[in-house]
């Protein structure tokens, strides 16, 4: 319900063009969550069968949830590569197990490792800053070629790289076919877009999300992407009516949607540049193009009010973003100084006409995504297709279109059968009966089953509501008939036998595809030692060396909610030194130890709201010196304060108090860096560039005190669940 190609309010001329020259699939489905959908897309198997029952950050030891793709499920890129295709991926990955996402790998699950791609340019995690991304080329971390002030934006960057790659491929291997996976980080949070794009939508959403749903369903019926008799589902009570939102907040809420709309149109524009480049090479009509509008329903992870800095949501502190605070930041939304996300009301509206959002696999609002297929060589005329399909159908469709059999063995490993159904039968037969007539859905125990038009579904939890969960056996199931396009009329009480039949079928499919055991645990799945997944770093001490950078939070010791010390052995030249010794996080949360005007300084960045600094009175003397920062945590729960002290050669020289600290996560994409502060800067004492340490660093060591073992610092289940949900 967001792209104009499917009746939405955002103008997407590239999607419109492809749809008008190809096919619109109006009953195409994903898993309702990012990493599981991508794993299913790339392998042609159900997400639990390839270990991706959830996002990598909450992997467990259960086969369906361990985030490890088995060798028996070779990705489509590997199959095509072995059959003579050039292969490349641009943009978002999020398929790498959390303990393998460091610069030391292993790289088996990376795109250019076991992923089958000969070239990769993009990011590994669930999201990244569009102006300061955490980029990799292959497995090598790299930095953007220019700054936001110079016009940098990630979507334009990956489009440039994709265009350069396909031109090179056709120039040097003209007869060799190619497979390109172009996966922008947009329009995932943070919603960031260059100046001018959001302004195209000024005032268009001032009447709110309820009015937007009414306008959208009317356009959808006019366009013919939903039946004329389709009903607009009721807004769930967990989502406020627009009329009930505070008046002072409404301009901010409208601005959130303007930014999102501009962000998506900007993405469509640069996707169009890639399409145009392929056309200029004379091979577009011979290229099978899939344009999938989203890998899940629209995200409700911005909570009811939306967020200026998603870090507040990650850390369970959304209440601190008051209407007054959000209003004060309205002009910064979408820019480099913001890390914003829109309200759940907009997420629901951009899923029109369906119920619910991303993560809610039980309802079409979480799983139904408009999909376009263009292939003039194989599709005789354009139009709309209403056959049921699922993201696992993409891989078998590619193989059938390419005339390649699904392999029995790949690299010596016997292959499990593809679970999807090729869509090619429908290309030139709009009335052909659907062949994919059975499909289960599950995400965080929100689950459903589709069988020959019927759906039985149950919602176990709400993404943006932290609530005690019911027993799984107490979940209330709903039943919808084949003629109910939007799941608007629940027939469970009228047809209990039909409901039981479908519930039984769900369990059969769940056993077949590794969905069981159903797992709604919260804190246990987030803590590796309880969930049962490996960790890269163990113990209470970690030594780092110069040149080590782009280290994600889950590959270094966790200094949150405990006492810690940071010690650096450095050599100061005779003329003094400046610059960053070590930093973690960035402008939206983190900490940094550095020298400014030769004086040892420590800055603690509290979610971008406050930067608390302590500094020695004099410069660090020349010679080999030991610099140390110690933080003595108060205890008593999460995010508490403590005493921060600075030492040079063991002598305490300065101290200050932190009244609050970041409890959960500094940043979903910014990293720990030794000798510089990459991407956005933690401190305003230096900029994003030229902040490297001008002396010599021998090593930096992080130590955790015994305070970290105090049981009261275990994160409560509701907060762990919040962060697990948001890092997608």
């Amino acid at each position: 319900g967001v792209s104009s190609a499917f009746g939405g309010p955002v103008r997407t001329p590239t999607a419109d063009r492809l749809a008008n020259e190809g096919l619109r699939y109006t009953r195409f489905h994903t898993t309702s969550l990012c990493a599981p959908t991508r794993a299913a897309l790339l392998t042609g198997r159900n997400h639990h069968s390839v270990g991706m029952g959830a996002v990598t950050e909450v992997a467990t030891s259960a086969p369906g949830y361990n985030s490890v793709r088995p060798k028996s499920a070779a990705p489509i890129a590997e199959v095509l590569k072995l059959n003579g295709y050039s292969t490349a991926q641009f943009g978002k990955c999020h398929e790498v197990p959390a303990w393998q996402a460091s610069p030391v790998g292993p790289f088996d699950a990376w795109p250019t490792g076991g992923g089958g791609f000969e070239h990769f340019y993009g990011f590994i995690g669930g999201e990244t800053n569009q102006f300061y991304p955490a980029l990799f080329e292959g497995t090598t971390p790299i930095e953007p070629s220019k700054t936001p002030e110079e016009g940098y934006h990630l979507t334009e960057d990956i489009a440039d790289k994709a265009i350069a790659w396909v031109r090179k491929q056709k120039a040097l291997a003209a007869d060799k076919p190619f497979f390109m996976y172009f996966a922008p980080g947009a329009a995932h949070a943070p919603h960031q877009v260059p100046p001018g794009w959001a302004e195209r939508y000024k005032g268009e959403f001032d009447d709110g999300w309820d009015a937007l749903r009414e306008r959208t369903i009317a356009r959808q019926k006019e366009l013919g992407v939903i039946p004329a008799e389709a009903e607009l589902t009721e807004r769930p009570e967990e989502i406020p009516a627009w009329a009930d939102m505070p008046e002072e907040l409404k301009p901010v809420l409208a601005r959130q949607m303007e930014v999102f709309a501009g962000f998506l149109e900007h993405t469509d524009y640069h996707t169009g540049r890639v399409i145009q480049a392929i056309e200029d090479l004379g091979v577009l009509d011979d290229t099978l193009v899939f344009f999938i509008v989203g890998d899940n329903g629209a995200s409700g992870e911005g909570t009811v009010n939306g967020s200026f800095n998603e870090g507040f949501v990650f850390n369970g502190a959304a209440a601190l973003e008051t209407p007054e605070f959000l209003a004060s930041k309205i002009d910064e939304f979408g820019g480099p100084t913001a890390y914003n996300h829109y309200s759940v009301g907009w997420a629901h509206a951009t899923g029109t006409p369906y119920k619910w959002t991303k993560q809610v696999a039980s309802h079409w609002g979480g799983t139904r995504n408009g999909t376009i297929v263009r292939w003039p060589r194989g599709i005789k005329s354009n139009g709309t297709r209403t056959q049921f399909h699922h993201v696992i159908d993409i891989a078998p469709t590619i193989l059938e279109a390419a005339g390649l059999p699904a392999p029995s063995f790949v690299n010596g490993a016997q292959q499990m059968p593809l679970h999807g159904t090729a869509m090619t039968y429908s290309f030139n037969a709009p009335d052909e009966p659907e062949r994919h007539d059975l499909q289960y859905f599950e995400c965080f125990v929100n689950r459903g089953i589709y069988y020959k038009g019927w759906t039985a579904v149950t919602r176990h939890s709400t993404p943006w509501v932290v609530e005690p969960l019911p027993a799984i056996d107490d979940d209330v199931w709903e039943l919808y008939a084949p003629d109910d396009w939007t799941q608007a009329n629940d027939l469970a009480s009228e047809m209990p036998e039909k409901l039981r039949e479908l519930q039984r079928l769900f369990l059969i499919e769940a056993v077949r595809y590794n969905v069981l055991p159903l797992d709604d645990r919260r804190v246990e799945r987030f803590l590796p030692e309880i969930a049962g997944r490996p960790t890269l770093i163990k113990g209470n001490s970690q030594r780092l060396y110069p040149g080590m950078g782009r280290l994600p939070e889950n590959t270094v010791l966790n200094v949150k909610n405990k006492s810690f010390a940071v010690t650096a052995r450095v050599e100061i030249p005779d003329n003094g030194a400046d610059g960053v010794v070590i930093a973690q996080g960035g402008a939206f949360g983190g900490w940094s130890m550095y020298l400014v005007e030769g004086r040892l300084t420590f800055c603690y960045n509290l979610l971008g709201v406050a930067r608390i600094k302590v500094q020695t009175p004099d410069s660090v003397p020349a010679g080999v010196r030991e610099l140390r920062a110690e933080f003595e945590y108060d205890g008593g729960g999460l995010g508490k304060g403590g005493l921060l002290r600075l030492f040079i050669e063991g002598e305490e020289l300065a101290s200050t108090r932190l009244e609050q600290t970041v409890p959960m996560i500094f940043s979903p994409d910014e990293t720990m860096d030794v000798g510089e502060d990459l991407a956005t800067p933690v401190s305003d004492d230096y900029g994003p560039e030229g902040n490297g340490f001008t002396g010599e660093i021998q090593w930096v060591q992080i130590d955790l005190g015994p305070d970290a073992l105090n049981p009261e610092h275990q994160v409560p289940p509701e907060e762990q669940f919040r962060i697990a949900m948001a890092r997608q």
Side-chain angles (χ1 to χ4, degrees), residues 388-409:
F388 181 96
H389 280 290
H390 189 271
V391 69
I392 58 175
D393 297 340
I394 298 294
T397 303
I398 292 171
L399 291 177
E400 188 166 294
L404 296 172
S408 299
F409 287 83

Side-chain angles (χ1 to χ4, degrees), residues 139-154:
T139 60
T140 303
I142 61 171
E143 298 308 312
S145 57
K146 53 187 179 181
T147 66
E149 293 74 21
E150 295 169 331
Y152 182 84
H153 190 277
L154 177 60

Side-chain angles (χ1 to χ4, degrees), residues 103-419:
V104 298
F107 300 109
D108 304 36
W110 288 57
T112 55
F117 291 102
E118 296 168 314
H119 180 75
F120 170 66
Y121 184 87
F123 60 99
I124 294 297
E127 68 182 50
T128 197
N129 191 309
Q130 298 292 304
F131 294 111
Y132 297 98
L135 282 173
F136 287 85
E137 188 158 25
T139 60
T140 303
I142 61 171
E143 298 308 312
S145 57
K146 53 187 179 181
T147 66
E149 293 74 21
E150 295 169 331
Y152 182 84
H153 190 277
L154 177 60
T155 307
E156 180 177 358
D157 187 11
I158 62 170
D160 288 345
K161 297 298 191 297
I163 291 168
W165 179 84
V166 74
R167 286 172 174 170
K168 179 169 57 179
Q169 194 273 341
K170 282 294 153 223
L172 300 178
D175 296 331
K176 192 174 183 180
F178 70 87
F179 174 64
M180 181 195 295
Y181 176 34
F182 185 76
H188 194 292
H191 300 159
Q192 297 169 313
V193 66
W197 290 87
E199 282 61 42
R200 300 181 180 203
Y201 292 89
K202 187 69 174 175
E204 293 190 21
F205 306 108
D206 288 354
D207 54 354
W209 44 68
D210 295 314
L212 176 58
R213 293 187 81 220
E214 296 286 351
R215 289 198 302 274
T216 298
I217 193 172
R219 283 194 300 264
Q220 290 171 331
K221 290 181 178 182
E222 182 180 357
L223 190 60
V225 294
I226 65 172
E229 66 275 12
E231 297 182 42
L232 181 63
T233 55
E234 294 183 1
R235 173 172 34 78
E237 61 181 17
E238 291 85 349
I239 303 173
W242 176 259
D244 293 337
M245 297 301 292
E247 287 299 321
E248 66 271 24
L249 189 59
K250 287 181 178 178
V252 180
L253 295 171
R255 182 59 178 170
Q256 292 170 7
M257 187 59 198
E258 292 169 5
V259 168
F260 178 82
F263 191 22
L264 184 58
E265 184 176 346
H266 177 262
T267 306
D268 179 90
Y269 171 79
H270 287 289
T271 305
R273 293 177 53 230
V274 178
I275 295 294
Q276 186 61 50
I278 297 171
E279 184 171 37
D280 292 344
L281 292 168
V283 294
L284 181 60
D285 286 353
D286 198 40
T287 300
L288 175 60
V289 176
F290 289 92
F291 190 119
I292 307 174
V293 189
D295 55 9
N296 40 240
S299 170
E301 292 152 359
T303 71
V304 171
N305 287 352
S307 179
F308 176 73
N309 174 9
E310 211 183 0
F312 285 99
V313 179
F314 296 154
N315 287 285
L320 297 178
E321 290 193 293
T322 63
E324 293 76 16
F325 171 81
L326 292 170
S328 72
K329 298 291 187 180
I330 190 170
D331 294 333
E332 297 180 54
F333 272 79
T337 61
Y339 202 90
N340 48 286
H341 194 303
Y342 65 7
S343 164
V344 67
W346 297 122
H348 183 233
T350 51
T352 300
Y354 306 109
K355 285 183 182 177
W356 298 109
T357 64
K358 173 184 179 180
Q359 297 184 27
V360 186
S362 54
H363 291 73
W364 296 148
T367 61
R368 183 165 284 181
N369 292 80
T371 294
I372 299 161
V373 181
R374 183 191 188 275
W375 188 36
R377 176 178 174 179
I379 299 172
K380 294 184 173 62
S381 60
N382 63 332
T384 299
R385 297 293 181 267
T386 59
Q387 292 93 340
F388 181 96
H389 280 290
H390 189 271
V391 69
I392 58 175
D393 297 340
I394 298 294
T397 303
I398 292 171
L399 291 177
E400 188 166 294
L404 296 172
S408 299
F409 287 83
V410 175
N411 296 325
Q414 187 171 1
Q415 297 296 289
M416 70 173 77
L418 293 174
H419 299 156

Side-chain angles (χ1 to χ4, degrees), residues 60-77:
T60 73
S61 57
Y65 302 87
N66 61 17
S67 75
V68 178
R69 178 181 52 80
K71 294 186 181 298
S72 58
I76 183 67

Side-chain angles (χ1 to χ4, degrees), residues 55-124:
V55 292
T56 58
E57 292 86 352
V58 293
T60 73
S61 57
Y65 302 87
N66 61 17
S67 75
V68 178
R69 178 181 52 80
K71 294 186 181 298
S72 58
I76 183 67
E78 180 72 7
V79 175
L80 293 175
K81 182 180 72 173
L82 294 173
N83 279 280
Y85 278 66
S86 298
T87 59
Q89 175 177 345
F90 301 91
K92 177 175 174 177
C93 170
H94 206 194
E95 301 302 311
V96 179
W99 62 93
Q100 297 181 10
S102 82
V104 298
F107 300 109
D108 304 36
W110 288 57
T112 55
F117 291 102
E118 296 168 314
H119 180 75
F120 170 66
Y121 184 87
F123 60 99
I124 294 297

